[in-house]
Amino acid sequence: MDCREERLPHQSAALGAGLSGSQSVDRALGLLSLIGREPAEGLPLGEIVAGSGLNKPTTRRLLMALMRAGLVEQEPQTRRYCLGEEAFVLGVLAARRHGLLEMAMDSLRRLARETQDTSFLTVRRETYAICLHREEGTYPVRTHALQGGDQHPLGVGAGSLAILAALPDGDVDRIVAANEAALLARYPGFAPEAIRADIVATRERGVSLNPGRLVASSWGIGRAFRYPDGRVAGALSIAAIDSRMTPARQSELAALLTREAVRMEALLAPMFLSKRGEKPMAAKPQPIETGRAR
Amino acid sequence: MDCREERLPHQSAALGAGLSGSQSVDRALGLLSLIGREPAEGLPLGEIVAGSGLNKPTTRRLLMALMRAGLVEQEPQTRRYCLGEEAFVLGVLAARRHGLLEMAMDSLRRLARETQDTSFLTVRRETYAICLHREEGTYPVRTHALQGGDQHPLGVGAGSLAILAALPDGDVDRIVAANEAALLARYPGFAPEAIRADIVATRERGVSLNPGRLVASSWGIGRAFRYPDGRVAGALSIAAIDSRMTPARQSELAALLTREAVRMEALLAPMFLSKRGEKPMAAKPQPIETGRAR
DNA sequence: AGAACAAGGTCCATATTATGGACTGTCGGG
DNA sequence: CCCGACAGTCCATAATATGGACCTTGTTCT
């Protein structure tokens, strides 16, 4: 069982690269993920073609397959492609196991009630962060910089930054490098160096702080929490108008976030009863590799 | 634009059947749906092979592709395959458009509060019904016959029956026929004829009633609601112990369900601003057919 | 008008990709 | 120690997915 890294010499060199044996499926699922990045409006065929690197006929054929399965739908008016009802239903089904949101709802509600500001649950998805939920507070001035389903590169925004800062340095480097182009092009004020500085500050402080860098006057404060095996599970964060983010109140909010993060980690504890001492940094669940060759 | 049924003579006969041009993607997505049927435990490879009709290597290869995309995960201990985190995230993203659950939450909460019993939102998925949410009531004796994510053939259970009864007769026939084997094998008390009788009763009454046929003493009452174009969108239902389902209370609950169903239909109204008078019975959103041949 | 463009959608010969029969490795029970 | 059941893998073959070229529809510019 511990022969995990035994690489035999005769492994066919052609397989070395990512030759999966299911090219079209990989491509189709890539499209799905791409469409998921624009959950509100959907994407026109042209952009999907451009964004995926595939050509038009192939893209369209794969989209048809996704539509047959109900995972994607095409808006009849605009001809844009967007996530379908089946994707929604699958999500509800998957929520039984991956019920992060379910688990976090209590925390989010409590944070929103106690602080009167808006609270968020954010998770990581590759090099991006996704806002899974936004729980409105009661305070009359609210920032709408972040909606449920919104996605930004890791490091952009409080929850996103908290997650990034919680990752090991190697991952941070890869992620920031991967996002560099997007950051420079679409996130002025989030140059790679700025993000690195933010990470240092976040690690010192224990919580992340976004001083209105994405939308002026819209501040955020966040804190990551982990699975029992050490992997980062997500982040809780709170957004408020700048006047409600004085240093004193920051500490107050940090304490609340910490309390809820601890609660989340306690809730997640039962998930890993497995005693297998795998290296805790495994970036992804990763398929089991039983056989010899790779 | 209205040349939709012009079938040219030269269409290659081989295409007549469901030759999609993306067999493997179709198969992979079929597996995804299959795995979704067992959201709690996941499925072992053998059952997926059997359930899909594919052979082992193909099944495994496709599963690997789904795992690479994060839509499926393999439980390390049991080696069972289950829905992955990405499926959950996609669902949250899709919820922006297909926010039935979101829309229904108010109704479900109100029903649960007013009746003290447990309320449910159910939607159709092909020939099955899926319970999307279960909102607990406060009454101390609660039935747990139906959990969120549970799936039963259309006609089995209150919400499921309400949906089936709301469909046109042609669909009903197809669905009951398709489910016949499953019904006879796994749902004693829900023979096809019994379901047909239930449908008649439901249509007369306006609401469906399940008099403890799935789990003794666990009764349910349900009502379907529609999209503005006439398609059935889903059903609201209430479950309670038999003693809380006297005829008098049934009428009471029916009134509440009707009120909430009307509300849901009002909420759904803005979805179809399109004036295109397509035939309202189109079973599925269906890909657009622009070109000439089919 | 009409021409010119852009974007969505489709065809079909080709070569790459997916397929599945046969095989190996692993666990648990007797 | 052997057996059966189950998970996972190999590889020649056949079927499938690919993408360049093309067609159609709607929009913008003269």
Side-chain angles (χ1 to χ4, degrees), chain A residues 77-272:
Chain A
Q77 332 281 321
T78 63
R79 311 213 138 181
R80 278 160 173 263
Y81 298 85
C82 53
L83 291 181
E85 187 172 329
E86 186 70 13
F88 170 62
V89 172
L90 263 189
V92 175
L93 296 179
R96 266 205 184 175
R97 307 184 68 78
H98 306 275
L100 252 199
L101 205 165
E102 207 85 354
M103 290 184 194
M105 280 308 293
D106 278 354
S107 288
L108 292 176
R109 276 198 267 266
R110 199 157 34 225
L111 286 172
R113 182 159 33 78
E114 290 176 349
T115 66
Q116 302 192 289
D117 290 309
T118 302
S119 63
F120 304 87
L121 172 66
T122 304
V123 298
R124 174 184 168 192
R125 193 198 202 190
E126 297 290 316
T127 64
Y128 271 64
I130 302 193
C131 171
L132 285 192
H133 190 79
R134 165 195 174 93
E135 182 73 18
E136 297 273 341
T138 54
Y139 193 77
V141 181
R142 298 179 214 166
T143 154
H144 286 255
L146 194 60
Q147 306 287 340
D150 280 353
Q151 309 182 39
H152 296 294
L154 280 170
V156 174
S160 180
L161 174 58
I163 291 175
L164 185 60
L167 295 171
D169 285 332
D171 289 12
V172 171
D173 291 341
R174 276 194 306 98
I175 290 167
V176 175
N179 285 338
E180 185 156 6
L183 288 172
L184 294 175
R186 273 178 296 140
Y187 296 91
F190 287 94
E193 314 83 55
I195 289 186
R196 287 181 188 284
D198 285 346
I199 291 174
V200 174
T202 300
R203 287 179 177 169
E204 274 173 8
R205 211 189 292 120
V207 296
S208 65
L209 186 70
N210 165 22
R213 282 245 280 284
L214 198 52
V215 172
S217 293
S218 173
W219 288 43
I221 184 168
R223 194 183 194 290
F225 55 92
R226 295 171 186 274
Y227 289 112
D229 66 352
R231 274 162 39 232
V232 178
L236 299 170
S237 59
I238 298 172
I241 189 172
D242 49 2
S243 61
R244 291 170 65 81
M245 277 284 187
T246 58
R249 188 146 194 273
Q250 284 175 32
S251 327
E252 200 181 307
L253 295 179
L256 293 176
L257 283 169
T258 302
R259 182 194 72 197
E260 297 301 336
V262 168
R263 191 194 83 106
M264 285 302 295
E265 293 185 344
L267 277 178
L268 290 172
M271 282 184 50
F272 266 68

Side-chain angles (χ1 to χ4, degrees), chain A residues 23-24 27 55-58 61-62 288-293:
Chain A
Q23 189 186 66
S24 62
R27 288 173 165 186
N55 57 24
K56 216 177 342 156
T58 300
R61 198 159 7 85
L62 297 177
I288 298 169
E289 305 232 24
T290 332
R292 51 201 155 153

Side-chain angles (χ1 to χ4, degrees), chain A residues 24 55-66 68, chain B residues 20-22:
Chain A
S24 62
N55 57 24
K56 216 177 342 156
T58 300
T59 304
R60 171 99 171 117
R61 198 159 7 85
L62 297 177
L63 285 173
M64 296 285 275
L66 292 169
R68 249 173 274 133
Chain B
S20 63
S22 317

Side-chain angles (χ1 to χ4, degrees), chain B residues 96-173:
Chain B
R96 265 206 185 174
R97 306 185 68 79
H98 305 275
L100 252 198
L101 205 166
E102 208 85 350
M103 291 183 194
M105 281 308 294
D106 278 354
S107 289
L108 292 175
R109 276 198 268 265
R110 202 159 29 230
L111 287 171
R113 181 161 34 77
E114 290 177 349
T115 66
Q116 302 191 291
D117 289 310
T118 302
S119 63
F120 303 87
L121 172 66
T122 304
V123 298
R124 172 183 170 192
R125 193 197 201 190
E126 297 289 316
T127 64
Y128 271 63
I130 302 193
C131 171
L132 284 193
H133 190 79
R134 164 195 175 93
E135 184 71 19
E136 298 271 341
T138 54
Y139 193 76
V141 182
R142 297 180 214 163
T143 153
H144 285 253
L146 193 60
Q147 307 286 341
D150 281 352
Q151 307 183 37
H152 296 293
L154 280 170
V156 174
S160 179
L161 174 59
I163 291 174
L164 184 61
L167 295 171
D169 286 331
D171 289 12
V172 170
D173 292 341

